[in-house]
Amino acid sequence: GRFQESLACHREAYQMRLELLGENSQHPDLAQSANNLGLVLIDLNDLDQALIYLQRAFNIWNSLYGEKSSQVALCTFNM
């Protein structure tokens, strides 16, 4: 696939949301971007970096929706 192109797009989306929402944001859109970025990094076998983004998504979704939410379950599966 075109994983490098995908990675660039997802990094840009994550950075834009981070700048717009702030470093400490608990916004679900930031969590979605972090999750998407983590998945592309898994595809590129960059597992250490993927885990950083997936944990960020997990923490945000867990804070917003609780540990029994579908978002947290999905993120746990991805990790």
Side-chain angles (χ1 to χ4, degrees):
R2 297 169 24 188
F3 293 118
Q4 291 297 331
E5 184 179 336
S6 180
L7 178 62
C9 291
H10 285 295
R11 275 196 203 280
E12 183 178 1
Y14 179 79
Q15 276 305 123
M16 288 171 56
R17 286 182 169 159
L18 195 59
E19 290 172 15
L20 179 67
L21 299 168
E23 182 70 34
N24 296 318
S25 175
Q26 295 293 300
H27 197 281
D29 289 347
L30 185 60
Q32 186 64 59
S33 285
N35 185 70
N36 292 344
L37 188 50
L39 292 176
V40 173
L41 287 163
I42 287 172
D43 288 333
L44 291 169
N45 205 33
D46 190 347
L47 303 181
D48 291 336
Q49 283 296 304
L51 187 57
I52 291 169
Y53 289 101
L54 292 172
Q55 285 176 327
R56 175 85 192 258
F58 174 89
N59 290 338
I60 293 171
W61 281 331
N62 191 44
S63 170
L64 291 173
Y65 306 124
E67 64 185 29
K68 295 185 189 253
S69 70
S70 60
Q71 292 91 340
V72 170
L74 174 67
C75 203
T76 300
F77 174 79
N78 292 338
M79 287 192 274

